Amino acid sequence: MKIAILSRNPNLYSTRRLFEAIQKAGHEALIVNHSICDLIIEQEGPSIIYKGEELKDVDAIIPRIGASVTFYGTAVVRQFELMGAFSAVNSQAIVRSRDKLRSLQILSKAGLGMPKTAFTNFSKGGEKQLIEHVGGAPLIIKLLEGTQGLGVVLAETKKAGQSVIEAFHGLRARIIVQEFIKEAKGADIRAFVVNGKVVGAMKRQGAEGEFRSNLHRGGKATVIKLSRAEKQAALGAAKALGLDVAGVDMLQSARGPLILEVNSSPGLEGIEKATGIDIAGEIIRFIEEGVRKKSPKRNTQQ
């Protein structure tokens, strides 16, 4: 098989590990910078030009689409899908997961546990009500477009919360407001889901004095055995968003696991180093199974 990794940086740990895993499985590996692909749409059918040449005979793709290029990246994924390639992550599922508000709405409809969340359309003077909706202070304020812990603020008092919300609204920045889960103690869980199974999980503890647990913010990762409820929550979240490969972030709370976010391009470095599990290999095995199951007559309706 020819498997293309859609990545803008061939030196990233995740890209390198996937490349190695593809080769180890005996397949042809290709790294494609999706941001410089040209999409050709004509009566003869869709095609992709990359570095002056048409990309042909790609059996499967592994999208590693950064948040800053979601629109164009998902257009490239969709083009590959229309050309008959199997995608480890469906283009529509990427779009759903990248929209934090939309993904939380979907998870809520699925009946999954999550921190209480409120959203408003820049309503002037509505800061107090927003804070009350999530149970008062302390509270978390998040930019809808933030990634890796950026654009996330902990407001310890109602007054501080009002000031931060007012500031974001003054900049016309879209935010969500969430209840603060004190008992999580600055830690969260990342469960890595592949093809309907949790293949690895780690607990991420924020640095001292830091409420965000992201490894990019200095957090530390350790292996963890998930409870049955945590496993079910992770699988339910990935299924609700239609993601076959996902990193599901959860908080441990007094009322059970609470979903924070579902990542459609989860990094491999933290989870592989914490657990010692070959996550990249699991993804390739899923792709092999997916390509085998595809009908010979590939469906191009999207």
Side-chain angles (χ1 to χ4, degrees):
M1 281 197 298
K2 185 192 284 189
I3 303 174
I5 305 163
L6 305 187
S7 171
R8 291 183 294 160
N9 188 348
N11 298 316
L12 288 176
Y13 177 93
S14 299
T15 305
R16 286 189 287 107
R17 282 287 298 118
L18 289 165
F19 190 88
E20 291 164 5
I22 293 167
Q23 291 187 319
K24 187 178 177 182
H27 307 299
E28 182 184 347
L30 182 67
I31 297 174
V32 173
N33 181 346
H34 44 279
S35 68
I36 59 171
C37 286
D38 295 331
L39 309 183
I40 310 303
I41 303 157
E42 56 187 341
Q43 187 174 358
E44 286 73 16
S47 59
I48 296 173
I49 306 298
Y50 181 62
K51 294 182 177 180
E53 294 185 14
E54 186 177 348
L55 280 175
K56 291 182 176 179
D57 305 319
V58 174
D59 297 289
I61 59 170
I62 306 173
R64 303 290 307 172
I65 309 298
S68 63
V69 292
T70 298
F71 174 79
Y72 198 75
T74 51
V76 175
V77 174
R78 191 161 54 247
Q79 191 86 339
F80 271 111
E81 289 170 343
L82 290 166
M83 290 163 58
F86 175 82
S87 181
V89 186
N90 177 277
S91 58
Q92 283 303 310
I94 298 173
V95 172
R96 278 193 294 269
S97 67
R98 280 290 157 77
D99 184 333
K100 284 183 186 175
L101 181 61
R102 183 181 180 186
S103 63
L104 288 171
Q105 289 172 316
I106 292 168
L107 296 174
S108 173
K109 172 69 176 172
L112 293 161
M114 65 183 69
K116 195 168 185 181
T117 303
F119 176 76
T120 186
N121 188 34
F122 305 124
S123 56
K124 193 166 179 60
E127 295 82 10
K128 282 185 183 178
Q129 287 91 332
L130 265 184
I131 293 169
E132 287 167 10
H133 287 327
V134 299
L139 65 144
I140 301 292
I141 301 160
K142 292 181 180 179
L143 277 172
L144 278 179
E145 300 296 325
T147 60
Q148 298 177 350
L150 296 170
V152 181
V153 178
L154 169 62
E156 298 196 1
T157 66
K158 288 184 181 180
K159 191 173 181 182
Q162 282 179 236
S163 297
V164 173
I165 294 168
E166 283 173 5
F168 278 133
H169 280 180
L171 295 168
R172 309 299 285 179
R174 295 286 184 187
I175 58 167
I176 54 174
V177 176
Q178 287 187 325
E179 68 173 309
F180 177 64
I181 309 300
K182 187 179 179 182
E183 61 265 34
K185 298 177 181 176
D188 74 2
I189 294 169
R190 161 66 63 89
F192 209 107
V193 176
V194 179
N195 194 21
K197 293 180 292 185
V198 175
V199 295
M202 63 179 172
K203 186 169 187 175
R204 304 182 297 190
Q205 180 66 55
E208 192 173 345
E210 173 60 76
F211 72 96
R212 296 168 295 183
S213 60
N214 304 72
L215 302 185
H216 291 87
R217 309 256 71 80
K220 290 200 164 73
T222 54
V223 66
I224 185 174
K225 183 174 172 56
L226 297 184
S227 68
R228 183 183 224 170
E230 288 162 351
K231 222 177 247 190
Q232 288 175 339
L235 295 175
K239 183 179 179 181
L241 292 174
L243 290 167
D244 290 311
V245 176
V248 182
D249 297 339
M250 300 177 282
L251 294 177
Q252 293 176 308
S253 81
R255 61 181 191 264
L258 304 178
I259 308 293
L260 278 178
E261 191 173 350
V262 185
N263 195 320
S264 57
S265 293
L268 301 183
E269 186 170 10
I271 191 85
E272 286 199 338
K273 288 184 176 178
T275 64
I277 296 169
D278 178 15
I279 303 290
E282 293 283 351
I283 294 171
I284 303 312
R285 284 187 281 280
F286 161 58
I287 288 171
E288 289 172 334
E289 184 183 327
V291 172
R292 273 198 303 270
K293 283 182 177 177
K294 267 184 89 73
S295 167
K297 186 178 180 181
R298 289 167 170 172
N299 180 12
T300 59
Q301 286 189 337
Q302 295 294 323

